[in-house]
Amino acid sequence: MDESVRQAMARWPDVPAVYGWLGLDEAGRWRLQGEPITHPGLIAFINRNYACDEHGAWFFQNGPQRGYVRLHYTPWVLHVDAAGRLRTHTGRAAESVRAAHVDDDGNLLLDTDAGPGLVEAGSLPAAAEWLRDADGEPAGAEAVAALQHGDAAVTLGYGGRRVPVSAIRRADVARHFGFVPDPQPPRD
């Protein structure tokens, strides 16, 4: 978090939080009231000041004001960079994968050292190279489709570790990973 943000929080500790303004879409783009944010400086500022509270609600700390983020799916969107490494939508490196899941829509979700994230669609072909079937061969589309129904054994290798890939229902993802997809103001 930026030092200027920390100082503003200390100077004005009781600024009310805002809800419903900022979102993170499945491609890793920030959206302000549904419209994509395109200004590079603003994106970088949001990226540096993006965090999670003790209840699993993700927010952007904008000076003394906390703006809670509506997650279109997961708190992190993962990209495979040119070197074949995972990075979050904020640019943070994901060094290891603790668990891997395929949801009922065929999305690949990874629980990384950065936290849980969706592999964005453009990075799926590169990430698919890390999938292996029960014989250690590259897992094809048929094996991944069978995995969605619990009919295949697929593993994912990344960062020197191999983890089993399991099926997960999209509706269960937030609860499984312990995050709040659409934070709401507290009720009085």
Side-chain angles (χ1 to χ4, degrees):
M1 194 167 291
D2 289 358
E3 184 56 32
S4 62
V5 170
R6 292 181 205 281
Q7 291 172 2
M9 291 167 58
R11 193 174 318 144
W12 299 290
D14 297 321
V15 175
V18 295
Y19 299 82
W21 284 76
L22 186 63
L24 177 66
D25 71 18
E26 292 182 25
R29 290 181 304 243
W30 295 111
R31 293 184 169 271
L32 186 60
Q33 292 191 317
E35 295 298 319
I37 297 173
T38 58
H39 189 279
L42 179 55
I43 293 168
F45 183 63
I46 294 170
N47 287 347
R48 289 191 312 271
N49 296 287
Y50 179 57
C52 183
D53 71 13
E54 66 277 7
H55 305 292
W58 288 80
F59 62 89
F60 158 54
Q61 190 69 44
N62 183 18
Q65 188 166 55
R66 184 169 285 188
Y68 281 95
V69 177
R70 180 182 177 275
L71 303 171
H72 290 232
Y73 199 1
T74 58
W76 297 106
V77 177
L78 303 167
H79 305 269
V80 179
D81 68 16
R85 306 298 297 171
L86 283 171
R87 294 209 168 267
T88 68
H89 65 280
T90 65
R92 177 179 175 183
E95 301 294 336
S96 64
V97 174
R98 297 183 288 247
H101 306 276
V102 173
D103 74 8
D104 33 358
D105 293 328
N107 294 305
L108 180 60
L109 300 140
L110 303 177
D111 185 13
T112 73
D113 57 312
L118 167 71
V119 176
E120 62 90 19
S123 291
L124 278 175
E129 298 292 321
W130 305 330
L131 299 175
R132 296 288 179 259
D133 65 17
D135 297 323
E137 298 295 320
E142 290 177 7
V144 174
L147 172 68
Q148 291 174 281
H149 305 290
D151 297 333
V154 176
T155 60
L156 181 137
Y158 182 79
R161 188 168 178 219
R162 186 155 292 286
V163 297
V165 182
S166 62
I168 190 168
R169 288 178 357 111
R170 184 179 177 117
D172 297 335
V173 168
R175 184 175 36 78
H176 177 81
F177 289 111
F179 64 85
V180 180
D182 190 12
Q184 298 296 312
R187 295 181 186 185
D188 295 331

